[in-house]
Amino acid sequence: MALDTRTGRRPSFAATLWGSTVGKKTVMAVSGLIMLLYLVVHMIGNLKIFFGAAEFNHYAHWLRVVGEPFMHEEWTLWLVRVVLLAAVIAHATSAYQLSRRDIRARPGTYVHRKPRSSYATRTMRWGGIILGLFLVWHLLDLTTGTVHAGFRPGHPYQNVVDTFSTWYGNVIYLAAMLALGLHIRHGFWSAAQTLGVGSRARDRALKSTANALALVLTVGFVSVPVAVMTGVVS
């Protein structure tokens, strides 16, 4: 292991791993799977809106008290938030640094045309940016109520209905969910390859699983605004 020229010490295993392309891809894969697991749970919770305001509001309250009395009110919720925030930061940072490393590795000016990135790569990059912006909007809309004019703390059902009763709320959410589906479709298979799960014999099953996850999550999330727009949920 080479010495760090700035400190004269051998870099730690974690630093060496993070500095490598394989290490960054592994961080991106693991953090992506953590977020995917959360999305599955979050979608299931969202679907409770079809059982009415009382059921949905009760579920939202339960999220704040889960783990009591061992955990104080909202401690479990904040623990989940911290883990998710760490996963988002790790995922975005590794993706950005891998992208910069890929750009630097491209041929120099002696090549007439730079090779174009693949469709999957472009989809992942732009999809990640769209989802990052959406995440900020979503939190400001339904968590803090900063951009939600009629936001009512403690009334999640009504807040969701209000959001999807506006054209811009629907456009933002539907566009983000389509980007999410594409991101999951490409990302799940890529993560499997990075973590060594993929193989020629398993590729078909992994791609089918990726497609199924993307479809189920997209349809599940999109069903809520569609239900509000059509009057099924009101």
Side-chain angles (χ1 to χ4, degrees):
M1 185 181 293
L3 294 176
D4 190 319
T5 56
R6 292 174 298 178
T7 64
R9 300 177 180 176
R10 295 185 184 278
S12 64
F13 173 76
T16 302
L17 182 66
W18 175 249
S20 68
T21 297
V22 172
K24 292 183 188 298
K25 286 184 176 181
T26 301
V27 169
M28 189 161 65
V30 172
S31 58
L33 292 176
I34 291 173
M35 291 186 287
L36 177 61
L37 176 61
Y38 168 76
L39 287 170
V40 172
V41 175
H42 186 46
M43 181 202 69
I44 294 172
N46 280 3
L47 295 178
K48 287 182 176 290
I49 201 168
F50 289 99
F51 296 95
E55 179 80 11
F56 191 73
N57 289 339
H58 177 70
Y59 163 70
H61 173 72
W62 174 81
L63 290 176
R64 298 179 179 278
V65 299
V66 63
E68 288 189 341
F70 179 74
M71 299 290 281
H72 191 65
E73 183 177 349
E74 293 196 7
W75 279 13
T76 302
L77 182 61
W78 275 105
L79 179 62
V80 172
R81 286 171 174 170
V82 169
V83 171
L84 283 174
L85 179 61
V88 169
I89 292 174
H91 196 77
T93 302
S94 54
Y96 174 76
Q97 293 185 359
L98 284 169
S99 177
R100 298 300 302 172
R101 185 170 290 186
D102 179 59
I103 292 173
R104 288 196 299 269
R106 291 177 182 178
T109 55
Y110 62 87
V111 177
H112 294 291
R113 292 186 61 186
K114 291 182 179 180
R116 296 182 62 186
S117 57
S118 68
Y119 168 76
T121 301
R122 294 196 304 274
T123 299
M124 292 296 285
R125 288 175 181 172
W126 284 106
I129 294 172
I130 291 171
L131 291 172
L133 294 174
F134 168 75
L135 179 60
V136 174
W137 165 268
H138 195 51
L139 291 173
L140 294 176
D141 180 32
L142 292 175
T143 300
T144 67
T146 306
V147 298
H148 191 143
F151 185 78
R152 299 173 60 192
H155 294 80
Y157 181 92
Q158 192 59 49
N159 291 333
V160 170
V161 172
D162 286 347
T163 286
F164 296 133
S165 296
T166 62
W167 68 266
Y168 55 86
N170 287 316
V171 169
I172 293 172
Y173 193 86
L174 292 175
M177 292 307 100
L178 292 176
L180 176 66
L182 290 173
H183 205 75
I184 291 172
R185 181 172 179 267
H186 294 304
F188 181 84
W189 185 83
S190 179
Q193 305 307 309
T194 297
L195 297 177
V197 178
S199 67
R200 183 171 296 181
R202 298 173 183 165
D203 273 358
R204 178 174 294 182
L206 287 171
K207 288 181 179 179
S208 296
T209 302
N211 290 335
L213 280 170
L215 179 62
V216 169
L217 285 169
T218 302
V219 172
F221 281 119
V222 164
S223 66
V224 177
V226 170
V228 175
M229 284 189 285
T230 57
V232 174
V233 171
S234 61

